[in-house]
């Protein structure tokens, strides 16, 4: 089973006097790249949050946004009453001097620096455990999304693999004909330019064998088949993160296919090689999204 790197998860739950909302999005990426947006209450637990996301999601460009809503009487801010009283006297005196109404003094004082400050409240260990279940719920939903996307990726990759194997079979069928064509072509050139009686057939056979061995593609065919079998085995493996491994195998596909193309010297085989390259490029594009 494959997992895509693309997914979305959301989890919301009210625990005690707080409502937690976690949203996690992920896109494809070479490494694990996390953008984390958390409220001040969770700052002491940032390291644990990052570790949990990294351990479960493994790879991709991930964005996690966490919000906390305070319910009931608890407030996320505190008022520095002593500082507000200290501000009041000079502000009231200034209002008297300017003959202004004092009705808006309180709202003015509340806007002054450090009168209203964020609460220094921290989550208790019990509250953290409650929030952790919410976070894991969002991550689990994202992984389910990744799994669904992975099914589509796996089906497409198996199709590309099957097409490459079909083209490889075509090349195997064309290979004996290619050797015959090469031999007939060389004999024709010799007869036209040297004369049928003016060259040694035995020497010609020896040179022909040497030439055909240099452009033989049987080894490439065997290696490509082994790569196909290995690719299919990795797809069937239960390991979650195998995108990099599959990408490396596809690079080996490319080496064997390119070598067959350079040794082909046959229009039909070269056309088939081009079709194999097309399927390979489509597979590489899909692999970019595999976890």
């Amino acid at each position: 089973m494959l997992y895509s790197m693309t997914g979305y998860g959301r989890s919301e739950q009210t625990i005690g006097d707080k409502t937690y909302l976690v949203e996690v999005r992920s896109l494809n990426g070479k490494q694990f790249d996390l953008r984390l947006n958390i409220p001040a209450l969770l700052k002491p637990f940032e390291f644990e949050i990052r570790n949990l996301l990294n351990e479960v999601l493994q790879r991709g460009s991930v964005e996690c946004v966490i919000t906390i809503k305070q319910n009931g009487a608890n407030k996320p801010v505190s008022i520095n009453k002593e500082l507000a009283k200290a501000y009041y006297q000079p502000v009231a005196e200034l209002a008297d001097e300017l003959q202004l109404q004092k009705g808006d003094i309180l709202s003015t004082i509340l806007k002054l620096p450090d009168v209203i400050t964020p609460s220094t409240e921290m989550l208790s260990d019990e509250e953290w455990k409650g929030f952790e279940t919410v976070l894991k719920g969002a991550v689990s939903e994202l992984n389910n999304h990744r799994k669904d996307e992975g099914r589509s990726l796996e089906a497409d990759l198996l199709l590309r693999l099957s097409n490459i194997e079909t083209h490889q079979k075509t090349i195997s069928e064309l290979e004996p004909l290619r050797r015959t064509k090469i031999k007939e072509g060389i004999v024709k050139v010799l007869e036209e330019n040297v004369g049928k009686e003016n060259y040694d057939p035995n020497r010609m056979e020896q040179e022909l064998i040497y030439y055909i061995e240099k452009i033989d593609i049987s080894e490439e065919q065997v290696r490509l088949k082994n790569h196909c079998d290995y690719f299919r085995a990795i797809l069937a493996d239960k390991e979650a993160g195998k995108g990099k491994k599959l990408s490396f195998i596809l690079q080996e596909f490319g080496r064997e296919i390119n070598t067959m193309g350079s040794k082909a010297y046959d229009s039909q085989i070269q056309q088939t090689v081009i079709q194999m390259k097309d399927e390979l490029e489509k597979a590489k594009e899909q692999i970019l999204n595999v976890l």
Side-chain angles (χ1 to χ4, degrees), residues 65-258:
V65 179
I66 302 170
T67 56
I68 300 177
K69 297 177 183 177
Q70 296 282 149
N71 304 317
N74 288 338
K75 303 296 179 184
V77 297
S78 61
I79 299 176
N80 189 333
K81 295 180 180 178
E82 296 302 320
L83 182 60
K85 291 175 183 178
Y87 278 134
Y88 176 80
Q89 187 63 35
V91 172
E93 291 176 358
L94 180 61
D96 289 336
E97 291 178 11
L98 298 175
Q99 297 181 345
L100 299 175
Q101 295 292 328
K102 296 180 182 179
D104 295 331
I105 287 181
L106 180 59
S107 62
T108 302
I109 290 174
L110 291 176
K111 295 176 183 178
L112 294 174
D114 299 325
V115 174
I116 296 179
T117 58
S119 173
T120 56
E121 179 188 3
M122 292 177 57
L123 292 185
S124 65
D125 290 341
E126 185 177 349
E127 288 176 318
W128 159 250
K129 290 179 181 177
F131 165 76
E132 194 175 20
T133 62
V134 182
L135 178 61
K136 288 180 178 179
V139 172
S140 177
E141 185 176 320
L142 183 147
N143 266 340
N144 288 335
H145 192 178
R146 281 180 158 190
K147 191 174 182 179
D148 291 339
E149 292 285 329
R151 289 192 185 97
S152 300
L153 289 174
E154 183 172 9
D156 189 79
L157 286 170
L158 285 171
L159 174 63
R160 304 303 162 198
L161 183 62
S162 177
N163 290 342
I164 288 173
E165 289 174 326
T166 299
H167 294 317
Q168 183 180 9
K169 184 179 178 182
T170 300
I171 291 176
S172 297
E173 293 171 352
L174 292 172
E175 173 66 6
L177 300 176
R178 180 184 73 138
R179 296 186 181 186
T180 302
K181 286 183 192 177
I182 290 173
K183 180 177 179 179
E184 291 175 350
I186 293 175
V187 170
K188 183 179 179 181
V189 169
L190 287 173
E191 289 180 353
E192 289 177 352
N193 293 277
V194 179
K196 189 173 182 179
E197 290 80 17
N198 296 330
Y199 69 88
D200 183 354
N202 293 328
R203 178 63 184 275
M204 191 274 291
E205 287 289 341
Q206 292 175 359
E207 294 294 334
L208 184 60
I209 291 171
Y210 174 75
Y211 176 70
I212 289 178
E213 285 180 351
K214 285 188 65 176
I215 62 171
D216 180 64
I217 57 174
S218 57
E219 289 186 12
E220 287 77 10
Q221 289 275 74
V222 170
R223 285 196 293 265
L224 181 58
K225 183 182 183 305
N226 290 338
H227 295 330
C228 289
D229 292 341
Y230 186 40
F231 190 90
R232 189 173 273 108
I234 296 298
L235 281 179
D237 197 295
K238 293 182 179 180
E239 180 186 359
K242 45 195 173 186
K244 288 184 178 180
K245 189 180 293 184
L246 292 172
S247 179
F248 294 148
I249 299 173
L250 288 183
Q251 290 178 23
E252 297 302 319
F253 274 50
R255 290 189 180 92
E256 307 306 336
I257 292 172
N258 287 333

